[in-house]
Amino acid sequence: MGISKWVNTIFRSKKAAAATTEVIKGATTPTSVDKKTLSGQKKNGFASEATFETRAFKLHNLEEGPATQVTVTKEDALKYYSQMYMIRRMETAAGNLYKEKTIRGFCHLYSGQEACAVGMRAAMRPEDSCITAYRCHGWTYLMGVSVQGVLSELTGRGGGCAKGKGGSMHMYASQFYGGNGIVGAQVPLGAGIALASQYNGTKGACISLYGDGAANQGQIFEAYNMAYLWKLPCIFVCENNGYAMGTSANRGSSNVNFYTRADFVPGCWVDGMDVLAVREATRFALEHCSSGKGPILLETATYRYSGHSMSDPGTSYRSRDEIAEVRQTRDPITSLREKILSAELASVEELKEIEGKIRAEVDTATKVAKTDKEISVDELTADIYANPQNLTGIRNTIPLAELQHKRLGTAVNM
């Protein structure tokens, strides 16, 4: 049984039966988890849902924004917690595999930014799609690929979601158009996916993500312009983790209010370390696109704990104290854990049970990723084109000895 189904089973087995309402008034600081409204049904002292106050959203070209008072059920709270914890453990395993030289090449970890992906995924509808950059392991998992499928792809094994041929930056799933290795190139591609949705009448929107380092790419501004002219259902998301490859946003951008930089396109700043705030902002953005108003730009203020990639220690342009302070005061997983416990949505024992099951699942997947077989040379050149007739021969390392292109699997998102 997968972790999501397992969490839902726990929730249903412990679902409250007696109705009660409790209001607790507390601190009003933006990061406080004390101010909350517990409502709904309770059993054995645990609430079935809770309401929290998020940090204020900053708006650009919008008369109103997302609601700052957000409600979450116990089932959803445990689901979000499980997903973020799973991504964190998976990325920790990936980092260790890289240090062991089991993973080669590039490897960009998502640790610290989990609330961004989980919050957006929570708001997405079946008809919506997503495309992101090369920090894509967490998104791949959320879009339906198993932990083992992600880790085996990282180790270049046949059990990977792309048979080990894509690696860290090129993973795909249904409605997920992958990690992309060219900085910023996924943004106009996302606009194109939104155009396809508009043309085909699917009523879906495309979430097109990029980082603050890519935000100065010219192609991004061209995509803004075209998306606005054609009123494309595209949500541009700048995941501002504070640093590009090794340069702080303040040193690399003359305007660090990224949610305003699409000019005529409406924008919204959101606390990217709060999964509930991200979920509400994404719901608001999806409604904006679905109503025919065209694109919108979200900036999620977040933080990455690791370096830009595994080859970057991440401490030459920022201090270890800075990283430690964010971990202690803004960590998205710890913050949600405190909300769950303070709102009495679950017990410490329930959360520990979830954490233990996730650790075991990741450990098992890691072992498989290290021992799984690589694909054969014969399969290496398969499935490059959806239509094999587009390319019958593939250049080999040996001159005049082409390899045959053929179809073995099923094309994704065709």
Side-chain angles (χ1 to χ4, degrees), residues 79-264:
K79 178 181 178 181
Y80 305 156
Y81 183 78
S82 300
Q83 289 174 331
M84 289 198 293
Y85 194 84
M86 178 69 84
I87 294 171
R88 181 70 60 85
R89 294 296 303 186
M90 182 176 68
E91 294 292 62
T92 299
N96 292 333
L97 288 169
Y98 193 94
K99 292 171 184 176
E100 296 172 6
K101 297 185 178 181
T102 303
I103 295 175
R104 302 279 186 161
F106 293 104
C107 185
H108 305 80
L109 303 183
Y110 204 60
S111 300
Q113 300 182 212
E114 296 90 351
C116 297
V118 172
M120 283 181 264
R121 185 68 181 101
M124 289 175 67
R125 306 157 302 184
E127 63 268 27
D128 298 322
S129 55
C130 172
I131 186 169
T132 188
Y134 33 73
R135 208 177 300 278
C136 64
H137 310 157
W139 267 108
T140 305
Y141 164 70
L142 293 174
M143 295 302 288
V145 175
S146 68
V147 176
Q148 187 263 313
V150 173
L151 291 177
S152 289
E153 186 62 33
L154 286 168
T155 58
R157 310 298 172 124
C161 57
K163 299 285 187 179
K165 295 188 288 185
S168 175
M169 298 190 288
H170 304 101
M171 300 183 183
Y172 308 92
S174 177
Q175 297 294 94
F176 179 57
Y177 292 82
N180 290 263
I182 305 300
V183 175
Q186 72 279 3
V187 180
L189 293 178
I193 296 167
L195 174 61
S197 179
Q198 182 189 73
Y199 183 84
N200 293 320
T202 66
K203 298 183 179 181
C206 180
I207 298 176
S208 184
L209 300 106
Y210 60 97
D212 54 285
N216 296 318
Q217 286 277 320
Q219 59 189 323
I220 292 179
F221 293 90
E222 294 180 41
Y224 292 157
N225 186 56
M226 296 175 71
Y228 188 77
L229 284 173
W230 296 341
K231 294 294 183 285
L232 300 181
C234 188
I235 302 173
F236 298 107
V237 181
C238 177
E239 291 184 286
N240 180 9
N241 60 28
Y243 298 92
M245 186 174 292
T247 306
S248 68
N250 290 321
R251 292 183 60 215
S253 299
S254 57
N255 178 6
V256 294
N257 295 315
F258 294 100
Y259 69 101
T260 70
R261 290 180 58 170
D263 192 12
F264 32 77

Side-chain angles (χ1 to χ4, degrees), residues 319-394:
S319 67
R320 296 183 186 275
D321 290 340
E322 176 186 306
I323 302 170
E325 182 181 1
V326 176
R327 282 185 178 273
Q328 293 169 8
T329 61
R330 296 176 56 206
D331 184 79
I333 299 176
T334 302
S335 296
L336 182 59
R337 194 178 200 274
E338 291 174 355
K339 284 184 172 73
I340 290 171
L341 294 176
S342 64
E344 299 178 344
L345 289 170
S347 65
V348 174
E349 288 72 24
E350 281 183 272
L351 296 182
K352 285 184 177 179
E353 186 178 1
I354 291 171
E355 292 164 2
K357 187 172 181 67
I358 289 173
R359 286 195 296 269
E361 184 174 342
V362 173
D363 288 347
T364 300
T366 302
K367 293 177 182 177
V368 173
K370 294 172 71 173
T371 58
D372 197 9
K373 293 182 178 180
E374 297 180 357
I375 60 174
S376 64
V377 174
D378 183 59
E379 191 176 346
L380 190 63
T381 55
D383 301 329
I384 296 176
Y385 282 86
N387 181 3
Q389 300 303 317
N390 289 338
L391 189 66
T392 56
I394 305 296

